[in-house]
Each structure stands twice: as structure tokens, then as C-alpha cells.
Amino acid sequence: MTKTFVVASLSSDGEALLSLISAADPSAKASSSILSSWNPSSLTPCSWQGITCSPQNRVISLSLPNTFLNLSSLPSQLSSLSSLQLLNLSSTNISGSIPPSFGLFIHLRLLDLSSNSLSGPIPQEIGQLSSLQFLYLNSNKLSGRMPPQLANITSLQVLCLQDNLFNGSIPSQWGSLVSLQEFRVGGNPYLTGEIPTQLGLLTNLTTFGAAATGLSGKIPPTFGNLINLQTLSLYDTEVFGSIPPELGLCSELRNLYLHMNKLTGSIPPQLGKLQELTSLLLWGNALSGAIPAELSNCSSLVVLDASANDLSGEIPRDLGKLGVLEQLQLSDNSLTGPIPWQLSNCTGLTALQLDKNQLSGTIPWQVGDLMYLQSFFLWGNSVSGTIPASFGNCTELYALDLSRNKLTGSIPEEIFSLKKLSKLLLLGNSLSGGLPRSVAYCESLVRLRLGENQLSGQIPKEIGQLQNLVFLDLYMNQFSGGLPLEIANITVLELLDVHKNYITGEIPSQLGELVNLEQLDLSRNSFTGEIPWSFGNFSYLNKLILNNNMLAGAIPRSIQNLQKLTLLDLNSNSLSGPIPLEIGYVTSLTISLDLSSNGFTGELPETMSSLTQLQSLDLSHNLLYGKIKVLGSLTSLTSLNISYNNFSGPIPVTPFFRTLSSNSHLQNPRLCDSTDGYSCSPRTNQRNGLKSAKTIALISVILTSVTIIVIASWVIVMRNHRYVMEKSSGALATSSRAEDFSYPWTFIPFQKLNFTIDNILDCLKDENVIGKGCSGIVYKADMPNGQMIAVKKLWKAKQDEDPVDSFAAEIQILGHIRHRNIVKLLEYGYTMNITEKSDVYSYGVVLLEIISGRSAVEPQVGDGLHIVEWVKKKMGSFEQAVSILDAKLQGLPDQMVQEMLQTLGIAMFCVNSSPAERPNMKEVVALLMEVKSPPEEWGKTSQPLIK
């Protein structure tokens, strides 16, 4: 009898599935409990994890979400799964493109390839999936245009394409997807064009998301037909025009996110019909007019944010009818009138932000009824009267900012009974009285900022019990008595500012225990005694400001420990002795060193040559003597004053010293000009001899007057003569220290220009100077066509200097920076790559533009300074760094403001004047990563974390 053997093999569906494993990373199967169950010896794959089969053993579902496959491409063999109804490969680390053969899945109802690294376009064959109901392709790197063929999938209910790189516009044909309930295309920055009006036909739509795109045009009024719409997310786009009143017909609307657009016009009162609306975010537009009282009919409203617009008029009293309102944010508008007391009826309010308006009147005492209030911002208004003691009832309050108003009276002690209050800002009012001892009860305080008021009396020693205090601002008040040594107990303190008060006595040496201090300003008081040696413990200090006191003695040598110090200001004291050599070890000094108006003696220490990053140095009005050769090593100087000392010898011959006027070294009769930096030129010796005290004493007042008149007349005549000669000869006169402007000129423009070399030369006059640096002078030049340009004239090199180096270095940097206000240069050819250091500099400029809300150059603002110089000027003027931030950023939660300030520091690191000191982009990324803090630290914010 013959035996028959039947050899069974894996089904064709199983073989198709195994193509996934063969294409996957070899370690994927070993590390995945799901893939390890896929046994090739099985007859069917129906028992494999992640697989579902029909009664006929055909694979109908392949679901492997969050499984590490690490595929470089999707295998085309999968398309043989002809009965497949569900395919979910989300978050499986797949790259490559979507195979056009996926259009063969004619029974497919769900396709989820989201959260991978897929690239390329969506194949138009996907439009053949007539049974498809759910399509998730979001969070990939897909590009190209969105295929109109998707309009053929009439059964489609969910279309998620957000967070990709699609370009082009939204196809108008998609208006035929009448079954669509969820439509998401946000987070595609290259998606442009207008929103098709045909999308108003999608009456089953519940979610429309197109935020963070380049979409423009107006919001279609046809959206009023979307009667089932619950979320309209259209923020951070280029959309303009008015908000269509037809949106008031979307009766199911719950979330309306239209912030950070270019919307104009008024807020339509028809929005008051939206009874289900919970979140209305309109901030960051250009909306105008009054806030419609009809919004009080939105009885479900929880968040109303219309800040950073141009709204005017009064805050409607009827908003007090919003019984479930939690956040009311109307900051940065032009609102007037009083704060309606009726807002106290919104008993669920957690955030009330009315700052940067023109509100007046008083703070209603009924504010104490807001038992759940967490933040109340009112700064930058014209509110008067006293601070209500009823704030003491707001037991959840953690941030209270009433700065920059017209408040009077004393600080209510009840405020300091708030156990959760971490930020109390009352800057810039007219508050009087003392700082109560009860301040010690508010142990949660992190920031106490009371500067620019009329507070008086002694600073209570109980303030030392605030163990969590980081910022303490008491400047520009009338505090007297001594500085309590108990402040030294606040070991986490980072900023202590008590400048411009009437504080007396010695500086407590115990302050040296504040090892986390970053800024200390005790200036403009009446401190006596010496600078404590213990200040050498301030290893994190970046600004030490002690000017205008009565301090005596020497600078402590422990100053060398301050290795993060960028600014040291000791001017106008009675300090004496030599400048310690240790000051040269503080190489972090970059902003300013001011030792003027003291009694310092001796010579300049040679160690000062190490301060190569220092920008401003003032040693005037002291008793210093000796040579100043060491100052020639300070290559970053932009400002120097050594007047009223007894310095002698030649003035250094460096590009910076060439720009100095005599005002920088007045009353140093033994100083002299030099041609070589080592000896005085004969002409200056003779001139200095004429300036001796004996000669000056013999000259009478009349002779002096006559001499001045004669000299002035001679200067005028010579200037006129020189001007005529220049015009007749076509060249500017030369001198021993001036550039040779004679013809012929070689003029090589690298782009089409509408001016000539003559137009430029005519503008190189003293009255057109707008800046000087160590490499040359910058002139403002008005061209005949009305264009204004900046021209830099580089210093002529000395015989022993390479005339190419400084010029080439400057041209190299400028030539690699792409900016609308810089004429294109690449002297070395257009194919040269952008250098890493100039790239970082450009990135720093962009960061500054974003953070400050300014263009790189704004001639009408800030004296026309470039943004880098403008920021440096602001930082060097001792203004609060927060003043540099865009006004819209200043109103954000405090933690976010701190992140912006840290980002500002990184930006300034990128635009360091020395390319060698700039970080590379890898380091910049690392620094930015350190800035980011967890969202839970922000406090409540109205910004939705959705796209």
C-alpha cells in the first residue's frame, strides 16, 4: 500500500507578512515579543500577535503600533493582503515613501502610518481606497502637494495630515468629502494659499485644524454652515481680514483658536450665540473696537484671551455673568475706564490679566471674592487709589503684579498672609510707609519687587526669613538705616537691588554667604567702610554695582574669584590704593569696568592686558600715573576715559586709539601722541610744552579769547578752501593719518546699485559719522535716489601690519551674512559655503529679532542702531533685561519669561564680537535644550498644546 505525504506551507498572506520581518532591523524580532510569535512554520498567520483573520483565514487586520521595526522602506509585498481592512504601523520607525501599491487595499477601512519618518508625496493611488474611513499620516516628513484624488474617498471620516512638510494649497476638491468629521493639516509650515470656501460643505465636520501653516486669505464665511463643528484651530498662520460673523451659527463650537494671525476688524457680537463655547483665543492679532457685551451670553466660556490686540473702550460689566469663566486675559490693548467690580461674580476665575492697557479708577475691593484667583496682572495702567486689603482673601494667589500704576498708600499686611504667593511686584507706584515685618509670614515668596516707590523706614530684619526668595528689588525708595545682615540667610537669592535709597553703615560682610547671587546693586546710598573681602565668594556674580557711596580702602584681592563678572562699577567713592593686579584675572569682564572718581594711585597693572573682551573702561578722576601701554591690549574697547590722572608717555597706536578724541584723556599733560607707540612725536612734545602750568598762567583772558576767535576763523577758512579744492580736484585732501581718496578708484559692485563712488565719497564727513570701532568708522550716506546706506571706512594699515588681514576678515563675515540691509559681497566667489561662525552670528541676530520683536535695523527706533548694538546698549545701561523682550512676551507666565531671558543670553553668546568666542551650532542646540523647562512649571496658560 502506497503512503501519500501532504506537505503544508505558510499561506500567501503569511508570506506577505514575513516581508515585514525580512525588511526590518535584525534586532527587531529578537527584541519584540510580538514579532517573536510570528512562526514561519505555521499554516496561517492567524495566531500571530498583532494579526486578525477572517473566518476564511484571510488577514483582515495588521496592527503593530509602537513596535520597533526600523524599516528603511515599506515592503510592496504587503499589498497582496487583498482582504486587509485595518493597517496600523504607527510609531514603528519606518522611513522611505508610501508605496503606490497601497492603493490596491480596496477593503481597507483604516490606514495609520503616523509618527514615523516617511517622506515623499502621498501617492495619488491612495484615492482608490473607496472603503477608507480613517487616514492617519500625521507626524512624518511627507512633502509635495496634497493629492486632490483623496476627494474620491467619499466614506472618509478622519483625515490627519498634520506635522509634515506638505506644500501647495488645500485642494478645493476636498469639499466633496461630506462624511468627513475630523480634518487636520496643521503643522505644515509650507502649506500656503487660501482656505477653500468649498470646505464649508463639510457639514459633518467636528474638528478643523490648520494651525502653524502658511495659509493666508480670509476665513471663509461658508464655515458658518459647519453646524457640527466643535473645534476650529486656525492659529499661527497668515490669515487676515475680519472674523466672519457667520461663525456665530456654529452652534456646537467649543474651541475657537484664532490667535497669532493677522485678523483685523472688530470681534463680531454674533459670537455671543455660541452657548457651548468654552475657549475663545483671539490674542496676537490686530483686532480693534470694543469688546462686545454679547460675549457674556457664552455661558460655557472658561477661557477668554483677547490680549495683544488694538481693542479699545471699557471692559463690559456683563462679563461678570460668565459664571464658569476661569481665565480672562485682555493684556496689551488700549482698554480704558475702570475695572468692573462685577468681575468678582466670576468666582471661578484663576487668571485675571489686564496689564498694558489704559485702565483707570481703583482696584475694586470685591476682588477679594475671587477665592480661586491664582494670578492677577494689572501692570502698565493708570489705576490709582490703594491696594485693597481684601487681596488677603485670595488664598490661591501666587502671582500679583500691580507695577507701573498710580497706586498710593501702604502695602496691606494682609497680602503677606497669603501662603502661596510667590511673586509680588509693585514696581513704579507711589506707595509709602514701611515694609511691614509681617513680610516674614509670606515664606512662599520667590520674587519681591518693590522698587520705584516712596517706601521708607528701615528694611525689616525679618526679611531674612524668606528662604525661597530669589529676587529682592527695593531700589529707588527712601529706605534708611543699615542693611540688615539677616539678608545673608536667604541663600538662594540671585538678585539684590537696593540702589538709590538712604541706607547707611557698612556693607555686612555676611552678604558673602549669598553664594548664588548673580547681581548686586548697592549704588547711590551712603555706605561706608570697605568692600568686604567675603565678596570673593560670589562665584556666580555677573554684575557688581557699588557706585556713589562713601566706601573707602582698597579693592579686595578676592575680586579675582569673580570669574563670571561682566560689569564692575565702583565709581564715585573714596577708594584708594593701587588697582590690584588681581583685577586682570577677571577675564569675564566684558561690559564695563568703572573705577572713576576715587583716589586710586599707582600704575596700571600689567595683568589688565588680559581683559581683552572688555568694552568700556573708565579710570578718570583718580591719582593714577605711569604709562598706558597696557591699554593697547584691550582689543574690544569701544569706550575709554582716563581723564584727570597723571599718566605719561605715548598713547598706544591701535585702531581704537585712533578714534579717540582728546576728551578721553584730558588733564594728563604728560601723555603724548606717537607714531610708533614707543616714543613721543616731536610735534606733540612741543605742543605739550606749551600746555605747561606756567605758560597757561601767563595767558590773559583777553588774549585767550582773541586766540580762540582767530583759530576758529582759520578753521572755517581752511575748511572752505579744502572743500573747494576737493570739488575741483575730485579727491579729498590727505593727511598723515587720513585715507588717500585720490583717483583712480577701482569700484567692483557685486549687485546692481543705483549710486556711484562719487555719491559715497561726498558723504564721508564728520557730521555723517554714526559709529566707530577698532577697525574703522561708519558713515551714514544719503544717496541721490533717496536711499540711505551705511559705509564703513577701514583704517589704513601700518607698514608692519598686513593690510589684507583685517579687511579680508571683515569682508568674509559680512559677505557670508544674508540680510536685506547688507549689500551682498563674496569677493572670493559665490560658491563659497557660509562659515560656521558667521552662520552662528546670523542665527543669533534672528534670535534677537524674535525675542525683541524688532527688525535687525529700525532707523526710526533706537537711534537706528543694529539690533546687536541696541541690545548691548540696553544691557549696558543697567535697565532690566526684561525690557529688551517683545512686549507680547513680557506678559507671559513668569517661568516662560525667564526662559526668554536665558535665550537672550544665548543669542548674545552667538553674536560675540570675536568669532573665536562664539559657540558652534551643536553647542547652541545644547544650550537651548537646557533652557526648556517642563510645562507644569509654567502655571496655567491659555496657549493650547494642539495643532
Side-chain angles (χ1 to χ4, degrees), residues 168-204:
S169 56
I170 299 174
S172 59
Q173 295 90 332
W174 288 4
S176 63
L177 296 172
V178 292
S179 299
L180 203 61
Q181 298 177 20
E182 193 172 325
F183 178 86
R184 297 177 183 269
V185 294
N188 283 285
Y190 308 115
L191 188 63
T192 57
E194 298 186 1
I195 302 171
T197 58
Q198 291 87 341
L199 297 186
L201 300 174
L202 307 179
T203 54
N204 288 309

Side-chain angles (χ1 to χ4, degrees), residues 49 54 130 141 150 212 225 230 495 734 749 804 841 888 932:
Q49 290 189 44
S54 69
S130 57
K141 300 176 182 177
L150 295 187
N225 299 326
Q230 297 180 14
L495 180 145
T734 62
V804 178
Y841 186 95
K888 295 177 182 178
K932 187 65 179 171

Side-chain angles (χ1 to χ4, degrees), residues 438-500:
S438 56
V439 67
Y441 300 146
C442 199
E443 296 179 355
S444 55
L445 271 178
V446 174
R447 299 188 173 208
L448 179 59
R449 313 195 69 175
L450 308 178
E452 299 178 56
N453 280 287
Q454 299 170 20
L455 299 172
S456 58
Q458 289 195 331
I459 300 173
K461 64 180 182 180
E462 288 78 6
I463 205 168
Q465 299 178 33
L466 301 178
Q467 295 295 300
N468 296 304
L469 200 62
V470 175
F471 276 31
L472 177 57
D473 271 343
L474 303 177
Y475 68 92
M476 293 180 68
N477 277 287
Q478 299 171 16
F479 288 113
S480 57
L483 188 67
L485 57 86
E486 287 79 5
I487 289 179
N489 296 329
I490 313 174
T491 54
V492 298
L493 199 63
E494 295 179 5
L495 180 145
L496 174 58
D497 190 346
V498 297
H499 81 263
K500 206 170 183 181

Side-chain angles (χ1 to χ4, degrees), residues 94-96 116-121 137-144 162-166 188:
I94 303 175
S95 54
N116 283 294
S117 298
L118 295 169
S119 57
L137 300 179
N138 55 286
S139 306
N140 279 287
K141 300 176 182 177
L142 298 171
S143 58
Q162 71 268 27
D163 297 326
N164 278 289
L165 301 171
F166 293 114
N188 283 285

Side-chain angles (χ1 to χ4, degrees), residues 922-933:
K922 183 177 180 181
E923 292 169 331
V924 172
V925 171
L927 289 169
L928 290 172
M929 291 288 288
E930 291 180 4
V931 166
K932 187 65 179 171
S933 62

Side-chain angles (χ1 to χ4, degrees), residues 626-692:
K627 296 184 178 181
I628 62 170
K629 178 183 176 182
V630 66
L631 300 183
S633 302
L634 309 188
T635 53
S636 297
L637 278 182
T638 59
S639 174
L640 174 68
N641 191 352
I642 56 174
S643 300
Y644 296 93
N645 281 285
N646 195 26
F647 290 117
S648 59
I651 295 174
V653 181
T654 67
F656 169 70
F657 275 92
R658 292 172 189 164
T659 69
L660 285 180
S661 69
S662 58
N663 291 334
S664 297
H665 48 79
L666 292 173
Q667 297 300 313
N668 286 280
R670 298 173 64 192
L671 278 179
C672 59
D673 287 334
S674 174
T675 57
D676 58 9
Y678 298 99
S679 59
C680 295
S681 62
R683 180 177 58 84
T684 56
N685 280 334
Q686 182 181 7
R687 183 193 65 195
N688 287 338
L690 291 174
K691 289 183 178 179
S692 66

Side-chain angles (χ1 to χ4, degrees), residues 11 16 30 61 267 284 337 347 441 452 503 505 509 526 548 578 606 611 658 687 699 731 753 780 814-815 893 900:
S11 66
S61 174
I267 301 174
T347 53
Y441 300 146
E452 299 178 56
I503 303 174
S509 62
S526 298
N548 286 276
E606 288 295 324
L611 303 180
R658 292 172 189 164
R687 183 193 65 195
I699 299 176
L753 302 175
K780 178 184 72 173
L814 286 175
M900 293 299 103

